[in-house]
Amino acid sequence: MDRKKAGQSLRLTAAVISVLGGLVVVLAFIAPLCRVILGNLTHLGKSTASFSYILKVTFFTLKTALLSTLVAFVMGVAGAFFCGTRTFWGRRLLLSFSAVPLCIPPLITALGYVSFFGMNGYFNQVIKAALELDRSPIRFLYSEAGIVICQGFYNFPLVLSVVSRAWKNLDVQKENAARLLGAGDCRVFFTITLPSLLPSMATACIPVFLFCFFSFMIVLLFSAPGTSTLEVEIFRAVRNTLDTGAATGFAITETFTALLVVFLYGLVLRRNSRRITDAFEKRSLFPHIAKAPYESPVCRFLEVFLFVIFILLIITFFVLPLGGIILYGFMKKQGSGFVWSFSHFTGLFTNKNFIFALKNTLKMAPWTGFLCTVLGFTYSVSFPKKNLLSQSLPLLSMAVSSVVLGWGVISIFKRSSPVLLVIMQTAIYWPVAYRQIQSRVDSISPDVINAGLLLGSGRLEVIFRIMIPLCLPTLFSSFCYCFALSCGDTTLPLMLSVRNFDTLSLYTYRLAGAYRFNQACACATVLGFLCCTVFGLSQFEYGKGRKRG
C-alpha cells in the first residue's frame, strides 16, 4: 500500500513538473514573441525607420557576425590543430579557455578591452610613454574592427573545444594509408582530414554566429556613431525613442533571420547524430610541436612559426584584456599617475547599493539554475530524442534575443518583478542544461533501465531511483552553468528594469556608464570571481562523477 502511494506521489510530482515546465516555455517564450510580432504589426506603417535603413542595419549585423565568426573560426581551428594533434606546455590551460565564454559575461570582456586597448588603456599608455606621443596611437576599439576582434576572440574557445575533440578522435589509419600511397601533408589534409572535420566545424561555428548576431553589450559599448546592429536598434527603439513600429520591423527581421540559421543548425545536428564512425584506431600519440615523424623541414618551420603567432595573438587579444580588468580594479589615480590600492574593493563592500545588488544576484541565480536543471532533466526523460518537434523546441531559444523577449514581457505584464526575471532567464537558459543532461541520459545503458523495469519498478521509480542518481554530477554541473549565466546576464535586467532591483552585472554596467571605470573593473572582478568559482565547482564535481562512473 505504501509503495502504491509512493508511486502515485511520484506520478503526481512528475505531472506537476511537466505542466510547470510547459507553462514556463509557453508563457515566458512563445507568448512574448507572439505579442511582439503579432501585437505590433499595425505599428509598422508608423515606423520612423525606413526599409533601406532596416536593410542597412541588417547588413551591418550580418557582416559583423560573419567576420567575428571568421576570426573565431581561424583561431579556433588553429588552436584545435595544436590541442588535438600535438602536446606542449600549457595545452590543458588552452583547452580550459573554453570555459571563458560560458562563465565570463560579455560585459566583463568588453571592460577588459577598454582597460587594455581603450584611449587610456595600458597598451596606449605604454606606447605613448615609449614614443612620447600626445595622443593614443591605438584607436581601433570603438569601430567595426573593435567589435569583430572582441567578439571573435571572446568566442574562439568554443570552436577550439569542439573541433579539437573531433580532431583528436579522427581515424589516423586513413591518414597513414594515404601517406604510404605517396600523398603529401596538404593533400592528406584537404582530402581526408578536412572533410572529416567539416561537421564539427559547422556545429561549432553556427552557435558562435548566433552569439555574435545577438551580441548586445559589446556592440552597445564599441559601435561607432552611425553604425548599429539589430539588437541594439530594438533596445533603443523600445527604451529610448519609444518607436514600436521601428522596433517591430527590426525584431521581425532579426527573429526570422535567426530562425533560418537555427534551422540549418538543427539539420547539422541531426546529420551528425546519424553519422556512424568507422574509426577503430583513434589518435593516441601526440608528438611535440615540430616533432611529427612525417613532416618535412619546411612544414616543421611553419608549424613553429604559426604556433608562436597563435600564442602571441591569444596573449594580446584574450589573456591581457581579461587581466587588465583585475589590474584596473587595484589601481587608484593619484596625481598624474596611478598607485596600487584596495580602496575600490573596500569601497564596494561598504557600499549599500553593491551589497544590495550582490544579495539580489545570489537570491536570483540559484532559482534560475534550479529551474533550468529541473526543466532540462524533465524534458530529456519525457520526450523521445528521435522526435523532430521535441528536439527542435530547445533550439528555438537560440533564435530569439533577450531584448525581444524582454520587450514582449513588458508589453504583456506592463510591470516587471524579480520573479518574472527568473522565469525569463529560465526560458532562455534551460536548453543549456538540457543539452548537458540529454547527453548523460543517452549514455545510460538501456540494460540498467530494463533491469529496473523487470524488477517491478515503474517508469517514474526508475527515473527517481536510477536515472537521477546516475545523472547527479551532470545535474549539479548544469545547475552551476545556468547559475553563472544568470549572474552574468546584463541584457534582461537592463531590458526589464525591475524597480529597486539591481543585479551585480547591471550594477557593473551602471558604474561603467557613469565613467567610474576603476570601480566598474573592481565590481567586474568580483562578478568574474563569483562566476568562475561556481563554474569551477561544476567542473570539479562533474569530473569526480565521471571518474566514479
Side-chain angles (χ1 to χ4, degrees):
M1 191 68 178
D2 293 338
R3 186 171 182 176
K4 184 177 180 180
K5 289 182 179 179
Q8 290 176 350
S9 63
L10 288 176
R11 283 191 290 272
L12 179 61
T13 303
V16 170
I17 292 175
S18 300
V19 171
L20 290 178
L23 289 175
V24 166
V25 174
V26 173
L27 296 179
F29 181 76
I30 300 177
L33 181 60
C34 294
R35 176 65 179 85
V36 166
I37 295 178
L38 300 179
N40 294 290
L41 286 177
T42 56
H43 296 161
L44 280 175
K46 305 175 184 178
S47 171
T48 59
S50 63
F51 180 72
S52 60
Y53 182 70
I54 294 177
L55 285 180
K56 176 185 175 182
V57 174
T58 303
F59 176 76
F60 181 79
T61 306
L62 291 173
K63 180 183 176 182
T64 54
L66 285 171
L67 291 176
S68 301
T69 306
L70 180 61
V71 172
F73 173 78
V74 172
M75 296 301 299
V77 171
F81 168 76
F82 293 113
C83 292
T85 63
R86 298 292 186 269
T87 182
F88 55 92
W89 184 88
R91 178 173 174 269
R92 291 186 178 181
L93 176 63
L94 190 58
L95 286 172
S96 68
F97 285 164
S98 61
V100 170
L102 299 174
C103 65
I104 299 296
L107 174 61
I108 294 181
T109 304
L111 290 178
Y113 268 76
V114 173
S115 68
F116 195 73
F117 293 108
M119 297 300 180
N120 295 314
Y122 290 111
F123 202 53
N124 274 316
Q125 288 183 15
V126 171
I127 296 179
K128 284 170 63 177
L131 301 180
E132 299 182 354
L133 300 176
D134 296 330
R135 55 180 296 180
S136 302
I138 307 299
R139 310 173 69 88
F140 75 91
L141 188 59
Y142 300 99
S143 64
E144 181 181 343
I147 296 172
V148 169
I149 291 175
C150 184
Q151 291 183 157
F153 278 89
Y154 175 64
N155 289 295
F156 96 91
L158 298 177
V159 180
L160 185 150
S161 176
V162 175
V163 179
S164 65
R165 192 181 306 116
W167 212 323
K168 178 182 177 181
N169 293 328
L170 287 183
D171 183 4
V172 296
Q173 199 170 51
K174 291 182 179 180
E175 298 177 358
N176 294 334
R179 292 189 180 95
L180 288 175
L181 293 173
D185 291 335
C186 291
R187 188 172 182 181
V188 169
F189 176 78
F190 285 105
T191 59
I192 297 176
T193 307
L194 183 59
S196 302
L197 292 175
L198 283 178
S200 63
M201 291 178 178
T203 303
C205 286
I206 292 177
V208 170
F209 173 83
L210 289 171
F211 295 154
C212 298
F213 184 76
F214 287 131
S215 179
F216 179 71
M217 273 298 156
I218 293 175
V219 178
L220 191 64
L221 293 175
F222 295 158
S223 59
T227 60
S228 185
T229 60
L230 292 169
E231 189 82 338
V232 175
E233 284 296 320
I234 296 171
F235 174 78
R236 287 173 177 169
V238 174
R239 304 296 299 182
N240 297 341
T241 63
L242 303 179
D243 188 352
T244 56
T248 304
F250 290 124
I252 292 175
T253 305
E254 182 188 58
T255 302
F256 279 94
T257 304
L259 280 173
L260 291 176
V261 178
V262 169
F263 176 74
L264 176 62
Y265 183 54
L267 292 179
V268 171
L269 289 180
R270 286 181 62 83
R271 179 170 295 184
N272 287 351
S273 64
R274 289 197 296 263
R275 291 176 72 245
I276 300 175
T277 177
D278 55 353
F280 53 86
E281 184 183 345
K282 302 293 180 65
R283 195 182 306 274
S284 58
L285 179 63
F286 293 90
H288 288 276
I289 294 176
K291 298 294 183 179
Y294 49 80
E295 282 186 319
S296 64
V298 175
C299 289
R300 293 181 180 181
F301 172 78
L302 287 176
E303 187 175 311
V304 173
F305 176 75
L306 292 176
F307 180 75
V308 172
I309 296 297
F310 173 76
I311 294 299
L312 289 177
L313 288 174
I314 295 302
I315 293 175
T316 304
F317 293 104
F318 189 82
V319 177
L320 291 180
L322 293 178
I325 301 173
I326 303 175
L327 291 178
Y328 250 102
F330 283 100
M331 295 181 69
K332 181 180 180 181
K333 189 172 182 60
Q334 184 173 345
S336 60
F338 289 89
V339 294
W340 292 99
S341 173
F342 289 92
S343 60
H344 298 306
F345 289 93
T346 55
L348 282 179
F349 284 97
T350 56
N351 188 305
K352 293 182 179 180
N353 293 329
F354 171 80
I355 298 299
F356 183 67
L358 179 60
K359 288 181 178 179
N360 289 338
T361 301
L362 294 178
K363 289 178 183 178
M364 181 186 66
W367 278 109
T368 301
F370 173 75
L371 292 176
C372 288
T373 304
V374 171
L375 185 56
F377 179 79
T378 303
Y379 196 85
S380 64
V381 299
S382 300
F383 295 92
K385 189 176 180 181
K386 295 181 180 179
N387 189 308
L388 178 61
L389 180 61
S390 65
Q391 292 304 302
S392 300
L393 184 59
L395 297 178
L396 290 180
S397 65
M398 300 176 63
V400 184
S401 70
S402 300
V403 173
V404 173
L405 288 181
W407 177 27
V409 168
I410 292 297
S411 301
I412 293 173
F413 296 98
K414 306 304 179 182
R415 291 185 62 183
S416 56
S417 65
V419 175
L420 194 58
L421 178 59
V422 170
I423 293 175
M424 292 304 302
Q425 287 186 339
T426 302
I428 293 175
Y429 298 138
W430 78 269
V432 176
Y434 164 73
R435 282 190 285 271
Q436 291 189 67
I437 297 170
Q438 181 68 66
S439 61
R440 180 65 184 109
V441 169
D442 292 341
S443 67
I444 299 176
S445 173
D447 296 335
V448 176
I449 298 176
N450 293 333
L453 295 173
L454 287 174
L455 291 175
S457 299
R459 175 69 179 171
L460 290 177
E461 289 183 280
V462 169
I463 292 174
F464 278 86
R465 297 184 180 183
I466 296 178
M467 299 183 72
I468 289 181
L470 290 176
C471 296
L472 199 57
T474 307
L475 295 176
F476 181 76
S477 175
S478 302
F479 169 83
C480 292
Y481 265 93
C482 297
F483 183 100
L485 289 172
S486 175
C487 289
D489 183 20
T490 311
T491 306
L492 265 179
L494 183 64
M495 193 66 193
L496 295 180
S497 297
V498 182
R499 183 176 297 179
N500 298 324
F501 190 86
D502 264 358
T503 62
L504 202 55
S505 58
L506 189 56
Y507 185 74
T508 305
Y509 172 76
R510 297 193 195 282
L511 287 175
Y515 299 101
R516 298 168 62 185
F517 190 70
N518 292 93
Q519 292 92 330
C521 286
C523 192
T525 302
V526 176
L527 177 60
F529 177 78
L530 175 63
C531 294
C532 290
T533 300
V534 175
F535 187 85
L537 288 175
S538 74
Q539 297 302 296
F540 176 73
E541 290 294 331
Y542 185 61
K544 285 176 63 179
R546 289 185 63 89
K547 189 173 181 180
R548 287 195 300 266

